[in-house]
Structure formats: C-alpha cells, structure tokens
C-alpha cells in the first residue's frame, strides 16, 4: 500500500510502477512471444502467473501491467458482446480465438490484430482490407465475415467458426491424395477464387494452411490478409508496395518473388496449381534447400517440373498437362482465369 501523499498517487497508478519493474515486465512479454505455442497458451491461461513476486502480490501494479500488455485470456469480452472461449491459433499479424456472442450464444471465430501492430496505420488498414475483401465475396467456399470492430484500440474481425482441419493438417496424415479427391478439393477452391477474382480481389497467399476442410472435406478459403484489390483501388489506398514479397515461398508465383507491380489473378492460379501438384504427388513442383535456391529455381530456372505421373504412378497421365500448365513460370502460358482452370479439371 502506498503512503498518503506519495507522488505516484498524484500522477496516477502508472507513475507508481517502478521503471525497472516495468522494463522487466516488458522484456518478459517479449520472451513470451519467442516461446513455443504450448508454453504461451499455458502462461496466458494462468494470467499473471510467472510474473515477478511483487507484481503477483500487488493488485495495483498487476492492474497497471495488465493494461500495459493487454493479454487476451478465456473469459474476456471484446466489443461488449464477444466472450473469448479459447485460443485457436496465432499468425504473424494476429491471433484467432473461438468466441461466443453474449446475447445469442452463437460460436464464432474472432481474429484479433496483435497489439504491437495496433499502432501501425498500415497494419490496421490492411486488417480493414481483409474484412472488406472477404465480406464482399460472399461465396460458399469462402469463409463468411459477420462483424468487424475494435476493443481498447485493437481491431478484431468476426468470422464463421469452421469445424474441421486445414488442408495442411490433412496432408500431414497422408502426403498425397487420390486424383478424384485432389480434383474435387482444388475445384472447390477454384470456385471460391473465381468469385473473388470477379470483384477484383486477388488472394496472393493461397496455400494448404489457408484452406479449411469442413463437413466431409468441403473446402473453404480463409485469410485474405495480403489480398490485393483492383489496381486503381490498391494504388489509392497504398496497401501494396512495389518490391514487397507478399505470400509464402514455395506457393507464390515467380512474379511475386520479384515484386512485380502487375501481379494479377494468374498468381492465384499458380498457387492453386502448386496445391494441385502437391495433392497429386506429395511434393512441390519447385524446391530448394534454401530460400535463395528456391528463388533461383522459380525465377531463373528453365526446366519444367517433373510430370506428376512420373512421381505418383497412380496419377492419371491426363492430369500432367493441367498441373504443369498451372505452375508454368510464364503467366501468359498458364490458365488465364479460374473458370478455364476449373473447366479443365471437371472431366477428372
């Protein structure tokens, strides 16, 4: 308890937190982000446990520290109506929680921008763009966006809660699928991607981790966080920068590697082609032991990838031409639209 007349009481509770303890708490917060996900979940579930002894014992300092680091834990309510149930996963820009609407009891997925990005106008604008892009598509194979808001300065995005697993998790159990299942999943992804392209949205980061399989392995595309709108809108809002690498190495098109300003829907079709190739063969068409080697192979290489049937004999040879066309280095020699790609897959 602070004595009467203590300077900290006149300047507010934050002034009473000694600088050394505040720095120690912030350093611990940074170390927490470098720990394995399981440890981070355990520490967050226990709230302040693991803090220095003084911080655990002093309620005033504990409240100040909670406001400083703003850890979201199960039971917290965001936006006055979404009660956090549990953490589902974390990415570079944000974390996704299972939450429940306080009034109607509906379970939703709550994506919250990491606190360290909340002060960045560019990061917040990109988060807004993801909400607008996903909500504008409105397709059965694209995740539904239900709401958007902000709580204590941290933007959040409310989406339908998808019960299932990512395509990446499915591949971890079985590195390759039979041709019929692979074509069905890729066809559903192309159906959703086609709807996005029709309104001028290019996903730019299609990969197995961003495809959720629900209700009998029905595919849903998620995470439009690095999507690109029509050139005029993108230039006006400044959400994309020439020379920036957007996407995941191994799945992005060669033109994305070099930061070309004219990336269009054919980059998405390349990524879908890589996914098709992986589903058929269990591997990627272009590989390298380092990022530099992968760059050289994808951007400056000239040899085509091996035909899928040469790697997986059970793969129909008729799919070789489709897969190799989809992952061609030259955008002009790929499928020019998701509809063309989908039409080629239908007979299979």
């Amino acid at each position: 308890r602070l004595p009467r007349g203590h300077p900290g009481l006149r300047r507010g509770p934050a002034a009473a937190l000694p600088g050394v303890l505040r720095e120690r708490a912030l350093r611990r917060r940074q170390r927490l982000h470098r720990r394995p996900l399981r440890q981070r979940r355990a520490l967050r579930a226990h709230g302040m446990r693991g803090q220095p002894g003084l911080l655990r014992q002093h309620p005033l300092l504990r409240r100040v520290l909670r406001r400083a680091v703003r850890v979201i834990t199960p039971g917290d309510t965001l936006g006055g109506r979404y009660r956090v149930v549990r953490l589902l996963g974390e990415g570079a820009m944000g974390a996704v929680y299972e939450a429940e609407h306080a009034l109607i009891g509906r379970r939703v997925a709550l994506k919250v921008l990491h606190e360290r990005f909340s002060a960045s106008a560019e990061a917040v604008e990109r988060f807004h763009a993801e909400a607008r892009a996903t909500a504008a598509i409105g397709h059965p194979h694209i995740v539904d966006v239900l709401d958007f808001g902000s709580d204590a300065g941290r933007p959040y995005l409310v989406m339908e809660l998808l019960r299932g697993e990512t395509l990446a998790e499915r591949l971890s159990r079985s590195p390759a699928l039979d041709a019929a299942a692979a074509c069905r999943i890729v066809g559903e992804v192309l159906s959703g991607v086609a709807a996005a392209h029709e309104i001028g949205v290019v996903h730019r980061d299609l990969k197995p981790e961003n495809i959720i399989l629900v209700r009998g392995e029905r595919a849903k595309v998620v995470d439009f966080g690095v999507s690109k709108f029509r050139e005029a809108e993108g230039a006006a809002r400044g959400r994309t920068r020439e020379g920036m690498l957007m996407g995941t190495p191994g799945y992005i098109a060669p033109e994305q590697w070099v930061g070309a300003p004219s990336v269009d829907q054919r980059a998405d079709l390349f990524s879908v082609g890589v996914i098709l190739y992986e589903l058929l063969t269990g591997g990627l068409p272009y590989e390298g032991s380092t990022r530099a080697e992968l760059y050289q192979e994808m951007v400056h290489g000239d040899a085509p990838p091996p035909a899928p049937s040469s790697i997986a004999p059970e793969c129909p040879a008729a799919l070789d031409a489709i897969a190799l066309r989809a992952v061609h280095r030259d955008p002009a020699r790929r499928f020019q639209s998701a509809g063309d790609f989908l039409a080629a897959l239908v007979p299979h």
Side-chain angles (χ1 to χ4, degrees):
R1 183 180 180 84
L2 298 176
R4 185 184 301 273
H6 190 281
L9 294 179
R10 293 196 299 270
R11 295 196 299 269
L17 182 62
V20 173
L21 291 179
R22 182 165 57 246
E23 292 176 1
R24 184 186 303 169
L26 294 178
R27 284 198 301 270
R28 178 193 172 278
R29 175 67 174 168
Q30 294 170 353
R31 289 196 302 272
L32 178 64
H33 281 287
R34 293 195 293 268
R35 291 178 178 174
L37 178 59
R38 184 176 298 177
Q39 292 184 19
R40 295 204 303 269
R41 286 177 175 171
L43 287 171
R44 286 174 178 169
H46 288 80
M48 301 303 297
R49 189 170 299 175
Q51 297 287 354
L54 176 60
L55 297 179
R56 286 202 305 268
Q57 298 168 11
H58 201 299
L60 173 62
L61 299 184
R62 186 164 64 244
R63 288 198 300 271
V64 172
L65 182 65
R66 270 193 178 278
R67 286 197 297 270
V69 300
R70 187 67 175 98
V71 176
I72 296 176
T73 58
D76 289 351
T77 300
L78 273 66
R81 56 188 180 277
Y82 297 107
R83 183 179 61 83
V84 175
V85 177
R86 63 188 177 103
L87 177 69
L88 295 176
E90 286 190 90
M93 296 291 290
V96 180
Y97 302 86
E98 180 179 345
E100 183 180 65
H101 195 288
L103 297 179
I104 63 177
R106 178 177 180 176
R107 292 293 177 100
V108 296
L110 196 67
K111 184 173 183 179
V112 184
L113 191 66
H114 282 321
E115 188 174 26
R116 59 184 179 275
F117 295 116
S118 298
S120 168
E122 182 180 354
V124 172
E125 175 59 20
R126 189 171 295 282
F127 200 67
H128 289 172
E130 177 181 0
R132 287 192 292 266
T134 311
I137 299 169
H139 190 273
H141 294 295
I142 302 290
V143 64
D144 286 335
V145 170
L146 308 175
D147 195 6
F148 184 85
S150 179
D151 185 273
R154 295 184 65 176
Y156 63 83
L157 175 64
V158 183
M159 303 171 290
E160 63 172 322
L161 181 62
L162 301 177
R163 304 285 188 181
E165 62 179 354
T166 67
L167 182 56
E169 292 169 335
R170 175 69 174 82
L171 288 172
S172 68
R173 299 199 316 270
S174 176
L177 305 182
D178 63 85
C183 291
R184 178 182 56 78
I185 291 173
V186 171
E188 292 176 350
V189 171
L190 284 170
S191 178
V193 168
H197 292 172
E198 286 177 3
I199 63 170
V201 176
V202 182
H203 190 288
R204 298 199 302 171
D205 194 21
L206 289 168
K207 56 185 178 180
E209 288 81 359
N210 287 340
I211 298 171
I212 309 294
L213 302 179
V214 298
R215 298 175 188 170
E217 296 197 335
R218 185 167 62 93
K220 285 243 184 185
V221 179
V222 301
D223 199 353
F224 282 76
V226 296
S227 60
K228 183 178 182 180
F229 284 78
R230 293 184 178 92
E231 288 298 325
E233 296 178 357
R237 294 187 176 95
R239 280 190 294 273
T240 59
R241 296 179 183 174
E242 184 175 349
M244 287 185 66
L245 179 64
M246 293 293 181
T248 303
Y251 293 93
I252 59 174
E255 59 267 29
Q256 289 177 268
W257 273 100
V258 298
S262 58
V263 172
D264 57 22
Q265 75 278 359
R266 293 173 295 182
D268 278 352
L269 303 184
F270 179 93
S271 300
V272 177
V274 173
I275 294 171
L276 174 62
Y277 192 99
E278 185 176 13
L279 293 179
L280 294 173
T281 68
L284 301 180
Y286 304 101
E287 295 183 333
S289 57
T290 65
R291 184 165 172 161
E293 289 184 5
L294 181 60
Y295 170 83
Q296 288 294 330
E297 174 65 21
M298 294 188 71
V299 177
H300 301 294
D302 52 11
S309 62
S310 68
I311 301 174
E314 65 278 8
C315 175
L319 288 175
D320 288 347
I322 297 174
L324 294 180
R325 180 182 177 186
V327 298
H328 202 286
R329 294 180 179 88
D330 183 0
R333 300 183 64 178
R334 296 179 207 147
F335 293 103
Q336 298 300 293
S337 71
D340 292 343
F341 195 166
L342 184 58
L345 277 181
V346 167
H348 306 281

